[in-house]
Amino acid sequence: MFQRSTIFNFLALVLLALAACPCHAQGPLTAPLTSAYAAQAFPLVHAHQAAPLYYDAKDAEVVRVAAEAFAGDVARVTGVRPSLRISAKLPNGPAVIIGTLGKSRLIDQLVASGKLKPGPLRGQWESYAISVIEKPFPGVPRALVITGSDRRGTAFGVFEVARRMGVSPWVWWADVVPAHHAALYVQPGRLVQGPPSVQYRGIFLNDEDWGLRPWAARHLDKDVHDIGPNTYAHIFELLLRLKANYIWPAMHPGTKAFYHYPADPVLANRYAIVVGSSHCEPMLRNNVFEWAENYEYEYGQKPGEWRYDLNGPQMHRYWEDRLKQSARYESVYTVGMRGIHDGSMPGPPDRAAKVRLLDSIITDQRSLLRAYVKPINGRPVPQIFCPYKEVLTLYQSGLKLPDDVTIVWADDNHGYIRQLSNQEEQKRSGGSGVYYHLSYWGAPQDYLWLSSISPPLVSYELSKAYALGARRLWVVNVGDIKPAELETEFALDLAWNVGRWTPATAAQYPLHWATETFGTKLAPAIAHIKQEYYRLAQAAKPEHLSGVTFTAVEADKRLADYQKIATEAQKLQQQVPATLQDAYFELVLYPTQGARLMNEKVIYAARSLELAKQGDNRALVLAQRAQAAYDQIQALTHRYNNEIAGGKWAGMMSSHPRDQKVFEMPPVATAALVAEGKAAQKTTVTQVAAGPAPLLIAAAAYTGKKEANNEHLTLLPGLGLEGNGLTRQPYDVPSFATVVANAPYLEYRADLTAGPHTVTVRCLPTFGLYTGRGLRYAVSVNNSPPQIVDVNVPADSKQWKENVLRGFSQGQTPHEVAASGPATIRLYLLDPGVVVNQLQIQ
């Protein structure tokens, strides 16, 4: 459970803007900028002198790594670089003391003298204290002391100070240049943070073929032409800045295994990053490379079949040899088995036999772990089992997992978690976790170009998971890292403190993020742009436009809304400081303009063909607009790769990942097609009149409600279709399928004509909480008997595919209205987990 910040005279960084030119405020500052010297504050940088940084040579390597990075951050802000000193001698004068309890001589001396109270840190996971201490040692008038409960806690504390003085976690990865200040002071006080809400928190580098790998090979790891140690050094620092501790390394075909480069695991240990492996890489083995390509080089013979019941000894040795390498490092081990890559586990055709085979595989893997990997502090070796795709079916068919193995539940690859732990599973000592996607290659359609899963959706799904016990491990598929910066930061911020951004407040996160990144003046406008960007993407991601149909009215509004935020983003760019122009392009302008242009390309192209069939010359104008949109996407992407940050990101951004058809220039009207349409129109007589438009009612526009005991009907801004959702809270509360009249409900008023009507309810396309729970609602019109609908559909079904592309599930109920006039529509929410966005009445 996250321990709320313990604040005694809250730590504040006071940045003295002594330079002649004004500068914009950046960073999560807890005190305003001032130009007055504060005598009681700690002088981190004063009169062009920086306080030296002291650390213990015997402390963990990551402490030195963090101290060196912090020295660079101070230099970024002030132009003055602090010196680094090992604590062989007591400091003289103001000093920054960095160390881990029990690992730093100076920290332990402060504890022994009573100057530093270690109580809140002892025995805690990844916690830290930041304190200004008066006269900590003879000759030292004042010290800034950063203390960690363990090695990562110390590093997180260091980077927390950096963040509070305006250094973004994305200072390198998104060129977020901090504002300049001539001096830095820290006000007296103490801040204690931790432990984190989720124990293991990190990212999965995936589908790196069109971005991260070619970019890394071109810029950082030229010697191996791959994602190698130089790239991972930057990634690991980013993770520390984001208070993350865990990674599934890149593993796609063409990328060599993490362990193939001996420096990789050594580097991970230096940065204190815990290495794991994905759902299809048991025992830290990258099968795509190490089994399918490199096995013969490693073992001097070709591998046999990837099938444990037929080739067990060879596979057993293959796993055993990795454990001999990894045992010295902090790791989380994936147990179980799938195909060599992202496919089904080979084995007998009978499902029950497959379950037995999987059980024997896990038993043997755990025997290897007991033989080679020593538990840390008496805790079991961390192991996860990820019931991803078809493995979920095997788990549901009776697989009995050892109690200490963590079940890592997967989403449906589109941001909606397929199932979570039921009440019995929540009692398991291994607990559970989540594998969540911000980027995906696969059915029904990829989304590898832009990142558009909103903070409210991430918060709703992951907070729901946390409430049902998923607290051991969260790993987020971030693709190439770029352009998912905001979304990645949000997911990891949530993992650190799940209560900070609840589903009810997550819509405010873009404002918080924009304030940290671009300052208070620009933040409201940027936040508005981002919120609209997410709202529009909920109804169809830019990559999914070929799979969604809009009415003419919907398409017109969509084009207008995108044009509005794109214009706002373009105008706002003129106010962005020169130092942040690159960051603004990467984080705001490119995704906003890219999404607008993709919509214009697809919609205008389709309309041009429709008008051409009617012989309408306007078809040619729309064809030109579609072509112009396509051309502008290419120009923007060229700018991203070749002009931004002096070409630093060349090779990172592709406008056509996996060469999907949606990225091509679609067919458009030509003069010949218009001429054919004119000729055809001469013989056309019949015109079919369109029916009346349905009455649309936002879920939030209710006129009355009834809540059940010990729960609330909660409005969740920014969640789902059109930007607002209503649901029952808390999450795991009783269902009311048998006694509908007792269920909580929302009431709506509408003027309806006498006769038959259809009520359509559009909901967030998520899943029931766990096996046996549905997503049921019921509708009654004018006190008619409630009609029950369940919008919970199986993942990978035809209906699911339609739902995730269009951003909603829906149900329909027929109703007969006796007399024209005001009508009362009552919507009962029978199951927890149902999120209602909109009602349509036809």
Side-chain angles (χ1 to χ4, degrees):
M1 185 71 178
F2 187 86
Q3 178 182 327
R4 291 185 180 274
S5 301
T6 306
I7 306 172
F8 306 99
N9 192 15
F10 193 83
L11 170 77
L13 289 182
V14 181
L15 307 186
L16 297 188
L18 301 180
C21 62
C23 47
H24 61 287
Q26 286 184 294
L29 304 181
T30 56
L33 289 170
T34 177
S35 58
Y37 170 70
Q40 75 280 11
F42 172 79
L44 184 56
V45 176
H46 172 70
H48 306 294
Q49 296 291 319
L53 313 181
Y54 285 82
Y55 69 94
D56 197 308
K58 295 181 180 180
D59 211 332
E61 285 188 273
V62 71
V63 175
R64 177 184 59 79
V65 167
E68 289 177 344
F70 183 71
D73 289 343
V74 173
R76 281 186 173 105
V77 174
T78 67
V80 181
R81 187 181 186 91
S83 61
L84 270 70
R85 303 175 186 177
I86 58 174
S87 55
K89 295 181 180 180
L90 290 175
N92 184 25
V96 179
I97 300 172
I98 301 168
T100 309
L101 284 176
K103 303 293 182 181
S104 164
R105 186 172 63 89
L106 290 180
I107 294 295
D108 291 347
Q109 286 179 358
L110 288 172
V111 171
S113 68
K115 295 283 188 178
L116 180 65
K117 305 297 183 184
L121 300 181
R122 286 205 187 279
Q124 297 296 331
W125 178 266
E126 297 180 349
S127 302
Y128 57 83
I130 305 169
S131 314
V132 173
I133 297 179
E134 297 291 320
K135 300 178 180 178
F137 301 107
V140 182
R142 189 173 291 130
L144 174 62
V145 181
I146 304 171
T147 313
S149 63
D150 53 27
R151 59 177 183 160
R152 280 189 293 273
T154 304
F156 293 158
V158 171
F159 285 117
E160 178 67 17
V161 177
R163 197 164 178 173
R164 288 173 181 262
M165 69 187 188
V167 179
S168 166
W170 303 98
V171 62
W172 193 87
W173 278 96
D175 306 300
V176 182
V177 179
H180 175 77
H181 298 281
L184 295 173
Y185 297 90
V186 184
Q187 293 282 32
R190 188 182 191 207
L191 170 72
V192 179
Q193 287 194 334
S197 298
V198 179
Q199 184 175 8
Y200 295 104
R201 315 163 305 283
I203 63 173
F204 179 21
L205 305 173
N206 198 214
D207 306 323
E208 63 274 11
D209 313 47
W210 297 273
L212 187 62
R213 187 177 67 235
W215 170 80
R218 182 171 179 175
H219 296 275
L220 297 180
D221 289 292
K222 299 178 183 179
D223 53 337
V224 296
H225 300 285
D226 199 359
I227 301 172
N230 295 325
T231 304
Y232 276 113
H234 285 287
I235 293 171
F236 293 158
E237 181 178 311
L238 173 66
L239 291 178
L240 292 177
R241 289 181 182 274
L242 293 170
K243 295 191 183 73
N245 61 8
Y246 181 63
I247 192 167
W248 286 358
M251 46 70 70
H252 233 242
T255 302
K256 293 181 174 63
F258 184 78
Y259 268 81
H260 181 73
Y261 303 111
D264 281 351
V266 174
L267 190 71
N269 186 58
R270 184 179 304 151
Y271 281 81
I273 298 300
V274 182
V275 177
S277 55
S278 73
H279 50 85
C280 56
E281 299 175 279
M283 310 298 276
L284 296 180
R285 276 292 197 176
N286 176 339
N287 307 312
V288 173
F289 175 73
E290 294 185 288
W291 184 270
E293 292 186 30
N294 202 57
Y295 188 94
E296 186 174 6
Y297 177 82
E298 184 176 347
Y299 289 99
Q301 64 182 86
K302 292 184 179 297
E305 187 176 357
W306 181 254
R307 183 165 166 170
Y308 197 72
D309 54 344
L310 302 181
N311 193 27
Q314 194 177 53
M315 298 173 73
H316 191 275
R317 181 190 174 191
Y318 170 72
W319 291 331
E320 181 180 33
D321 288 345
R322 175 50 38 83
L323 297 190
K324 292 177 181 177
Q325 294 175 289
S326 66
R328 75 195 74 169
Y329 305 119
E330 193 176 1
S331 307
V332 172
Y333 294 90
T334 299
V335 298
M337 183 176 157
R338 295 189 70 216
I340 289 178
H341 191 197
D342 191 358
S344 300
M345 178 185 76
D350 178 67
R351 183 179 296 175
K354 264 194 173 181
V355 170
R356 290 192 295 272
L357 175 60
L358 185 55
D359 178 78
S360 69
I361 290 169
I362 293 172
T363 298
D364 290 350
Q365 290 170 338
R366 284 167 60 83
S367 295
L368 284 170
L369 288 168
R370 283 192 296 272
Y372 290 99
V373 184
K374 295 179 180 179
I376 300 175
N377 298 326
R379 294 191 297 265
V381 174
Q383 300 160 56
I384 65 170
F385 172 78
C386 190
Y388 182 66
K389 292 185 177 178
E390 81 293 334
V391 181
L392 178 59
T393 304
L394 297 180
Y395 175 75
Q396 293 170 334
S397 299
L399 178 70
K400 302 299 182 185
L401 277 179
D403 198 63
D404 62 292
V405 174
T406 301
I407 302 175
V408 177
W409 301 109
D411 69 347
D412 63 349
N413 307 309
H414 293 264
Y416 308 100
I417 299 174
R418 293 174 63 163
Q419 84 170 61
L420 292 162
S421 297
N422 61 31
Q423 293 179 354
E424 283 302 309
E425 290 164 331
Q426 290 174 38
K427 299 174 184 177
R428 300 177 70 259
S429 64
S432 65
V434 175
Y435 168 39
Y436 195 81
H437 287 76
L438 296 175
S439 173
Y440 181 61
W441 166 351
Q445 291 183 16
D446 304 353
Y447 56 103
L448 299 172
W449 180 37
L450 303 180
S451 181
S452 57
I453 292 184
S454 70
L457 177 56
V458 175
S459 177
Y460 181 76
E461 292 294 313
L462 293 183
S463 298
K464 175 173 65 177
Y466 186 85
L468 272 68
R471 304 178 181 189
R472 184 61 58 86
L473 182 149
W474 288 3
V475 61
V476 181
N477 188 322
V478 299
D480 299 308
I481 299 176
K482 301 179 74 65
E485 294 95 340
L486 185 158
E487 298 78 20
T488 299
E489 185 174 351
F490 177 75
L492 294 175
D493 279 356
L494 194 69
W496 175 258
N497 181 359
V498 75
R500 176 65 180 87
W501 298 105
T502 68
T505 62
Q508 300 170 22
Y509 186 82
L511 178 61
H512 164 83
W513 173 85
T515 301
E516 279 197 337
T517 309
F518 295 103
T520 55
K521 180 181 177 181
L522 300 175
I526 292 173
H528 169 71
I529 291 166
K530 283 292 185 183
Q531 288 162 346
E532 282 291 281
Y533 169 82
Y534 291 128
R535 180 185 66 82
L536 290 163
Q538 177 67 31
K541 291 179 174 62
E543 300 91 335
H544 294 170
L545 287 168
S546 61
V548 180
T549 301
F550 297 105
T551 66
V553 173
E554 290 170 338
D556 283 342
K557 187 174 188 308
R558 190 172 181 83
L559 291 171
D561 289 349
Y562 265 121
Q563 182 62 57
K564 183 178 179 182
I565 62 170
T567 300
E568 290 173 1
Q570 199 72 49
K571 288 182 178 179
L572 192 63
Q573 187 183 25
Q574 300 171 13
Q575 301 177 42
V576 176
T579 55
L580 289 173
Q581 283 288 333
D582 289 340
Y584 184 79
F585 181 88
E586 296 166 45
L587 298 172
V588 180
L589 197 61
Y590 183 84
T592 303
Q593 295 284 19
R596 170 186 72 89
L597 293 166
M598 179 66 82
N599 276 265
E600 290 182 356
K601 182 191 77 172
V602 172
I603 294 173
Y604 284 144
R607 282 190 172 178
S608 77
L609 294 176
E610 293 171 3
L611 290 177
K613 290 179 182 178
Q614 301 168 23
D616 193 325
N617 288 329
R618 290 176 298 173
L620 300 179
V621 175
L622 294 184
Q624 292 173 349
R625 290 180 182 175
Q627 183 66 57
Y630 173 84
D631 292 343
Q632 288 177 61
I633 291 172
Q634 312 318 309
L636 273 174
T637 306
H638 181 273
R639 182 182 173 192
Y640 197 124
N641 285 317
N642 298 288
E643 298 175 22
I644 294 301
K648 175 181 176 180
W649 302 113
M652 176 63 83
M653 184 56 62
S654 172
S655 62
H656 51 92
R658 212 158 73 87
D659 295 326
Q660 292 290 279
K661 191 173 182 63
V662 70
F663 297 118
E664 298 175 1
M665 179 60 204
V668 294
T670 62
L673 287 175
V674 172
E676 290 177 11
K678 289 180 185 294
Q681 284 296 307
K682 294 178 182 179
T683 63
T684 300
V685 177
T686 305
Q687 292 288 339
V688 179
L695 173 66
L696 303 182
I697 305 176
Y702 59 86
T703 56
K705 67 177 181 178
K706 185 193 83 172
E707 297 179 328
N709 292 335
N710 301 316
E711 62 176 89
H712 301 282
L713 291 170
T714 305
L715 178 66
L716 304 179
L719 181 62
L721 192 70
E722 291 306 312
N724 281 303
L726 265 165
T727 191
R728 293 169 60 189
Q729 295 269 279
Y731 294 97
D732 197 3
V733 291
S735 295
F736 288 91
T738 55
V739 189
V740 174
N742 294 341
Y745 63 75
L746 300 161
E747 277 190 351
Y748 301 88
R749 301 281 287 174
D751 287 329
L752 300 180
T753 58
H757 292 272
T758 299
V759 177
T760 301
V761 178
R762 291 183 168 178
C763 306
L764 193 73
T766 188
F767 297 86
L769 298 179
Y770 43 77
T771 301
R773 301 299 295 266
L775 293 174
R776 292 168 292 187
Y777 69 84
V779 177
S780 169
V781 177
N782 291 338
N783 295 316
S784 63
Q787 299 181 47
I788 298 175
V789 177
D790 191 348
V791 292
N792 192 28
V793 301
D796 302 318
S797 65
K798 181 180 179 182
Q799 187 59 64
W800 165 82
K801 293 177 181 178
E802 183 178 357
N803 290 351
V804 296
L805 293 179
R806 68 188 183 184
F808 64 87
S809 58
Q810 71 177 20
Q812 294 183 325
T813 51
H815 301 270
E816 189 73 26
V817 175
S820 298
T824 299
I825 300 95
R826 183 172 289 181
L827 176 62
Y828 297 88
L829 302 186
L830 306 183
D831 287 316
V834 178
V835 180
V836 180
N837 293 114
Q838 186 185 76
L839 283 73
Q840 292 192 0
I841 304 176
Q842 188 75 50

